[in-house]
């Protein structure tokens, strides 16, 4: 039977039930150490975002859904790019991959984009040959790593979280979003430090540092069921010298690291290590259901990879970002 592609709105109540089993099947094959996605986690993944256009392209064999991708187009940055993913049941990949790619490309053209970007795991070798034949090329690589909270050295983490000679003059603040009004602008200013983070040949630009965008993103996460914790190091005059955030999804046993940013003039003070240790202690205290923490890093981001390795994160998969020019 010929496959058909349907676009499902992320706002439609049936979309979650359609994509959940596909997400679970794809994760089992491509990210075998990733906990099985739950309804809570998947709801956050597909929840609407006020800062970007989002729609799911779903491949159907008759009335049976066999694969999907969540297509995204940012409102403020990278306007030339549709960013998506691909989750297909392994037994259906040979015939469903190209139809989904075609749907991504057509959606990109309709929105005036010049490229489509999506990532595949090193465990998904069946995609790579198809992508190359379809004109795609790898442009950057990311590592996903996990920290087993049951295996950490609590005394060592307490030592990392404590003030050191280099960073004792910073005050540590911890909050759960929404961010307090007096910290919103300092937080957004600190986040702009991520502009110098490596992205290979992807040509990715972080969104503009606007308080209203950050406020909207926090509200979107809350609507999607995510609890977001932020740890920040503040100077005496209220400037944020470093920040680190982590998201928790309902009763899902894995938390996910969001942004970690230290402006250039504050680097070398051990703030990344200290803030990550503080956050880990917070999860152990406030989120006893969380068993593991996941984080993503560009393969060229050596400083952050070193910090995570020191903290005990173990690499789970390498992911390559593929670009298709339109």
């Amino acid at each position: 039977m010929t496959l058909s592609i349907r676009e499902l709105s992320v706002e439609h109540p049936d979309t979650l039930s359609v994509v959940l089993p596909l997400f679970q099947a794809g994760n089992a094959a491509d990210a075998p150490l990733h906990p099985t996605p739950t309804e809570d986690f998947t709801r956050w993944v597909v929840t609407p975002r006020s800062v970007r256009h989002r729609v799911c392209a779903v491949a159907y064999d008759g009335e049976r859904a066999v694969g999907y991708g969540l297509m995204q187009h940012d409102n403020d940055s990278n306007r030339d790019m549709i960013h998506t993913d691909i989750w297909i049941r392994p037994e259906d990949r040979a015939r469903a991959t190209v139809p989904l790619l075609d749907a991504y490309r057509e959606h990109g053209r309709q929105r005036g984009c010049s490229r489509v970007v999506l990532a595949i795991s090193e465990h998904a070798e069946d995609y790579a040959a198809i992508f190359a034949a379809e004109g795609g090329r790898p442009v950057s690589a990311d590592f996903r790593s996990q920290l087993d909270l049951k295996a950490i050295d609590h005394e060592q983490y307490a030592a990392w979280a404590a003030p050191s000679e280099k960073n004792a003059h910073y005050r540590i603040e911890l909050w759960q979003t929404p961010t307090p009004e007096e910290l919103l602008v300092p937080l957004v200013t600190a986040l702009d430090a991520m502009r110098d983070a490596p992205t290979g040949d992807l040509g990715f630009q972080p969104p503009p540092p606007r308080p209203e965008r950050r406020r909207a993103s926090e509200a979107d996460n809350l609507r999607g069921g995510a609890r977001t914790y932020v740890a920040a190091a503040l100077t005496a005059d209220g400037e944020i010298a470093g920040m680190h955030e982590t998201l928790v999804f309902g009763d899902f046993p894995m938390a996910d690291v969001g942004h970690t940013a230290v402006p250039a003039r504050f680097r070398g003070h051990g703030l990344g290590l200290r803030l990550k240790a503080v956050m880990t202690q917070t999860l152990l205290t406030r989120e006893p259901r969380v068993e593991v923490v996941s984080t993503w890093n560009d393969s060229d981001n050596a400083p952050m990879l070193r910090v995570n390795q020191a903290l005990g994160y173990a690499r789970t998969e390498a992911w390559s970002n593929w670009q298709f020019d339109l």
Side-chain angles (χ1 to χ4, degrees):
M1 181 178 292
T2 302
L3 293 178
S4 61
I5 306 294
R6 306 175 195 172
E7 289 192 359
L8 301 185
S9 168
V10 292
E11 297 177 344
H12 195 284
D14 293 339
T15 298
L16 177 60
S17 63
V18 171
V19 304
L20 176 58
L22 303 174
F23 191 28
Q24 291 172 332
N27 252 278
D30 300 344
L33 297 180
H34 190 291
T36 301
T38 62
E39 185 173 304
D40 281 343
F41 179 60
T42 308
R43 178 179 295 106
W44 173 79
V45 169
V46 300
T47 198
R49 299 287 198 271
S50 57
V51 298
R52 62 182 64 94
H53 162 83
R54 313 181 97 205
V55 64
C56 289
V58 184
Y60 283 88
D61 181 356
E63 291 303 312
R64 183 177 72 96
V66 299
Y68 86 100
L70 175 61
M71 302 181 293
Q72 306 190 73
H73 191 201
D74 199 281
N75 295 342
D76 298 317
S77 62
N78 306 296
R79 293 290 298 161
D80 65 325
M81 180 179 73
I82 289 290
H83 185 269
T84 185
D85 50 15
I86 192 163
W87 303 104
I88 306 175
R89 298 183 192 276
E91 64 271 22
D92 294 305
R93 290 181 179 180
R95 64 197 189 105
T97 301
V98 172
L100 272 176
L101 282 176
D102 286 343
Y104 300 160
R105 290 183 284 207
E106 179 58 26
H107 190 77
R109 293 186 188 100
Q110 290 177 0
R111 295 193 63 84
C113 298
S114 59
R115 57 181 174 145
V116 170
V117 174
L118 70 160
I120 55 171
S121 161
E122 62 186 315
H123 300 295
E125 296 178 353
D126 41 353
Y127 287 129
I130 299 175
F131 284 8
E134 287 293 308
R137 68 183 191 279
V139 291
S140 66
D142 296 314
F143 296 140
R144 193 180 74 83
S145 304
Q146 290 182 184
L147 176 67
D148 183 353
L149 293 182
K150 300 185 297 297
I152 68 170
D153 183 332
H154 291 259
E155 290 186 1
Q156 179 62 75
Y157 262 77
W160 284 328
S164 71
E165 183 178 353
K166 289 183 177 180
N167 59 45
H169 55 292
Y170 297 108
R171 181 178 85 257
I172 302 299
E173 292 280 349
L174 180 77
W175 66 88
Q176 192 172 338
T177 60
T179 294
E181 191 63 35
E182 67 274 13
L183 294 174
L184 183 60
V185 171
L187 178 67
V188 170
T189 302
L191 280 166
D192 200 41
M194 297 188 68
R195 290 191 178 278
D196 63 4
T199 59
D201 295 324
L202 178 57
F204 177 85
Q205 293 297 322
R210 295 191 293 110
E212 57 271 25
R213 181 183 170 101
R214 173 68 190 192
R215 190 64 86 199
S217 295
E218 291 184 350
D220 289 341
N221 283 331
L222 285 169
R223 280 193 297 271
R227 301 184 294 281
T228 306
Y229 293 91
V230 183
L234 276 72
T235 65
D237 60 1
E239 188 174 3
I240 289 183
M243 61 79 63
H244 174 66
E245 67 180 353
T246 300
L247 289 77
V248 179
F249 316 96
D251 60 0
F252 188 51
M254 186 181 79
D256 200 51
V257 170
H259 299 300
T260 302
V262 179
R265 65 186 180 282
F266 299 116
R267 292 170 189 169
H269 298 178
L271 289 176
L273 182 69
R274 184 180 177 191
L275 290 170
K276 283 174 173 276
V278 168
M279 182 64 70
T280 302
Q281 291 181 315
T282 300
L283 293 176
L284 290 168
T285 302
R286 301 191 188 182
E287 300 288 349
R289 289 179 178 270
V290 174
E291 301 173 355
V292 63
V293 182
S294 174
T295 190
W296 293 82
N297 300 104
D298 187 278
S299 61
D300 291 332
N301 194 346
M304 193 56 67
L305 288 169
R306 284 195 297 269
V307 169
N308 287 336
Q309 185 176 22
L311 287 162
Y313 280 85
R315 188 181 304 172
T316 54
E317 311 100 31
W319 292 73
S320 54
N321 292 297
W322 285 70
Q323 180 167 306
F324 298 82
D325 296 326
L326 302 180

